[in-house]
Amino acid sequence: MVFEVVHDGPGALRTAPAAVEVGVADEVPPCDPVPARPAPALTIPRHDLRPGLPDVSAFPTRAWLASTRRVLTHARPEVFGAGDPQGRIELRNALADYLGRTRGVITTPDRIVITSGYYQGLGLLCGVLATGGTSTAAVEDPGHHVFRDVVQRAGFTTLALPVDSHGARVEALTQEAGAVFLTPSYQYPTGVPLHPSRRQTLCAWARSTGGLIVEDDYDGEYRYDRQPVGALQGIAPDQVVYCGTASKTLGPALRLAWMVLPHHLVPPVVQAKQKADLYTETLGQLILADLITTHAYDRHTRAARLRYRRRRELLLDRIAAIPSLTPHGVPAGLHTLITLPSDGPTEQQLLTSCAHHGLALRGLTELICASRTARSRCWRFRFSVTSEPSLAADVKALLGPEAIAL
C-alpha cells in the first residue's frame, strides 16, 4: 500500500523492516474514474507536511509591491478595460523570453495562452481535444488524481501508464491514445525525471501517430544538484503542449498559469478561454510581467532553490538515521517520496492513529489508478515549509523517540 503522511502532533513514526520500491503494472490497464470524496475538514495542523505548496511565507512582497507601483504608474486607461482572452501581450512577451532561457522552450508570444491556473488550462485543453475527436488519453500511474479527474470529466477513456525508476513507461503507448499527460522533469509523485531515451521514444510516438504530449512542468525551476532538466517541448515543439504556473514559485492564490501550444491549437484554446471566463485578471498579469522583465522573478526563484535545497538535505539527513526508511527521486521539487516498511499498519490504520495524535494525513493511494493494486508503501514528505527550524520540528515530531508504531 502507498500512502502520504502529514504529522501534526507530538508523536512520531517507528519503523521496522526494509522498504520496497514502488511497484508498476506489466500492462497498460484502463484507469477507473476517480471516486467522489467528501470535502476535507478545514484544519490548520501544527506540523503540515502535505505536498503541493511552496513556502508562501517567502512571497516576494517587496518586489511585488515595487512592480505594482510601476504598473499602475505607467498604466494606460485601456488596462482597466476588458482584457485579452489570450492574455496580456506584455506577459506573453516576458514568458517567451523567460521560458526560452530557463527551460529551453521554443516559442513566440503568439503561441502562449494565459489561464487562471493550470487546472483551468488543462480543462480548456481537454475540451478542445475532445471536440476535435480525441477519445482516449494516457496518464501516469501513479499520478495526480485531481488532474486525472479533469481528463476523465472531459469524456476521455484514460489508460494508466506505469511509472518506474526511469519515469513513465512510454514504450507502452499505442495508437489508441490520442494524447498523453506527463510530468517529465520531475514525475509526480515519484520524483524521477523521464529518461532521455524515453523522451526520444515519446517524441517518436507523437510524430508517427499524430498524438499530443501534454507536459506539466509544475516544479521545473527546482533542481538542486545540477541545472534543471530542459523542457520536453524544446525537442518537439509541434507535438508538445507545455504547461507552466506561478503556483510553485510565487503561490497558487495568484491563479496565473500559461500554456505554450502548437500553432493549430491556439485559436480553439483561446476561443474556449473566452467562453469560460472571458480573460484572466489583467493587473496580476502585468505585475508578473514586470517581475520577470526586471529579473526580480529570477532572483526570487534562485533564493528559493537555496532554501529548499537546505531543507531537503536536512530532511534526508534525519531520515538516514532510520535504515528502514528509503527516500526516492532526484534532488529536485518540493517533496520527497519515502518508502515505509512493508509489514506496518494499513493506510487507514495509520490515518486513524495519526488523527488521534492530532495529525493531518492524506493517503497516497488516491494517486494510483483504481484498476491497479499498489504493491508498496510510501508517503510524500513536503520539505517546502516555512523555515529550517520548523522543518526540524516537523521531522522530530514525525520520527522522534515517541513514534507511532508502524
Side-chain angles (χ1 to χ4, degrees):
M1 170 141 336
V2 180
F3 54 87
E4 168 189 329
V5 171
V6 174
H7 202 292
D8 183 32
L13 300 179
R14 294 189 190 278
T15 57
V20 293
E21 199 173 20
V22 177
V24 298
D26 294 327
E27 299 179 354
V28 180
C31 190
D32 294 346
V34 178
R37 295 180 304 280
L42 295 177
T43 60
I44 303 177
R46 294 190 301 274
H47 301 282
D48 191 346
L49 301 174
R50 290 171 292 189
L53 283 176
D55 179 3
V56 292
S57 71
F59 183 86
T61 304
R62 182 175 299 179
W64 187 267
L65 287 173
S67 291
T68 301
R69 284 192 294 269
R70 282 190 293 268
V71 167
L72 293 178
T73 298
H74 301 289
R76 299 184 300 275
E78 56 91 11
V79 165
F80 303 100
D84 184 344
Q86 187 169 355
R88 291 290 304 193
I89 186 60
E90 295 90 341
L91 180 55
R92 291 189 282 120
N93 282 332
L95 285 170
D97 174 72
Y98 173 79
L99 296 175
R101 61 182 171 81
T102 64
R103 304 298 299 125
V105 172
I106 299 173
T107 188
T108 51
D110 61 296
R111 293 179 59 174
I112 299 175
V113 176
I114 308 301
T115 61
S116 301
Y118 171 64
Y119 186 88
Q120 183 192 52
L122 180 62
L124 297 176
L125 179 63
C126 287
V128 167
L129 295 179
T131 300
T134 301
S135 60
T136 304
V139 295
E140 294 171 317
D141 183 20
H144 205 301
H145 63 294
V146 172
F147 300 138
R148 184 171 72 235
D149 184 45
V150 173
V151 175
Q152 292 171 339
R153 284 191 286 107
F156 289 101
T157 298
T158 50
L159 302 178
L161 199 61
V163 173
D164 59 22
S165 59
H166 294 297
R169 291 171 52 181
V170 297
E171 68 276 6
L173 284 169
T174 66
Q175 291 187 353
E176 181 182 4
V180 56
F181 297 82
L182 298 167
T183 52
S185 293
Y186 189 69
Q187 200 278 330
Y188 190 84
T190 65
V192 296
L194 189 62
H195 192 274
S197 65
R198 292 189 179 179
R199 286 180 164 231
Q200 296 297 332
T201 298
L202 179 60
C203 293
W205 166 84
R207 293 187 181 105
S208 64
T209 65
L212 186 71
I213 303 165
V214 182
E215 175 180 17
D216 177 5
D217 197 36
Y218 72 105
D219 267 350
E221 289 89 351
Y222 297 129
R223 186 69 188 255
Y224 310 123
D225 60 338
R226 49 161 287 173
Q227 289 294 315
V229 175
L232 183 66
Q233 192 268 2
I235 61 176
D238 294 327
Q239 285 77 39
V240 177
V241 173
Y242 173 90
C243 301
T245 176
S247 292
K248 299 300 189 293
T249 52
L250 296 174
L254 298 179
R255 308 311 301 145
L256 285 172
W258 44 88
M259 292 188 290
V260 178
L261 299 158
H263 285 291
H264 71 281
L265 286 176
V266 174
V269 170
V270 171
Q271 184 179 38
K273 167 66 177 175
Q274 187 171 26
K275 290 180 178 179
D277 64 354
L278 296 180
Y279 53 87
T280 294
E281 185 269 328
T282 296
L283 288 179
Q285 295 186 59
L286 293 174
I287 295 167
L288 178 57
D290 186 86
L291 276 179
I292 295 172
T293 56
T294 60
H295 300 286
Y297 190 76
D298 294 78
R299 291 189 291 273
H300 171 71
T301 54
R302 283 197 300 269
R305 275 195 295 268
L306 292 175
R307 288 194 302 273
Y308 296 148
R309 183 178 68 183
R310 290 194 302 267
R311 294 171 192 179
R312 182 180 183 274
E313 291 171 352
L314 171 62
L315 170 63
L316 296 185
D317 180 66
R318 302 298 171 87
I319 290 173
I322 304 176
S324 57
L325 294 182
T326 305
H328 299 279
V330 298
L334 302 178
H335 78 279
T336 294
L337 185 73
I338 300 173
T339 306
L340 301 170
S342 59
D343 61 349
T346 66
E347 176 180 302
Q348 188 55 52
Q349 289 171 334
L350 183 61
L351 289 170
T352 302
S353 178
C354 289
H356 178 72
H357 287 76
L359 315 180
L361 300 179
R362 182 180 301 121
L364 194 61
T365 49
E366 63 190 358
L367 303 188
I368 298 175
C369 286
S371 58
R372 179 170 73 85
T373 301
R375 302 176 184 173
S376 63
R377 313 165 63 84
C378 303
W379 86 69
R380 293 168 291 156
F381 199 118
R382 177 172 69 102
F383 53 82
S384 57
V385 292
T386 57
S387 66
E388 282 80 7
S390 175
L391 177 60
D394 292 343
V395 176
K396 181 178 180 180
L398 184 65
L399 305 176
E402 299 180 0
I404 297 170
L406 290 178

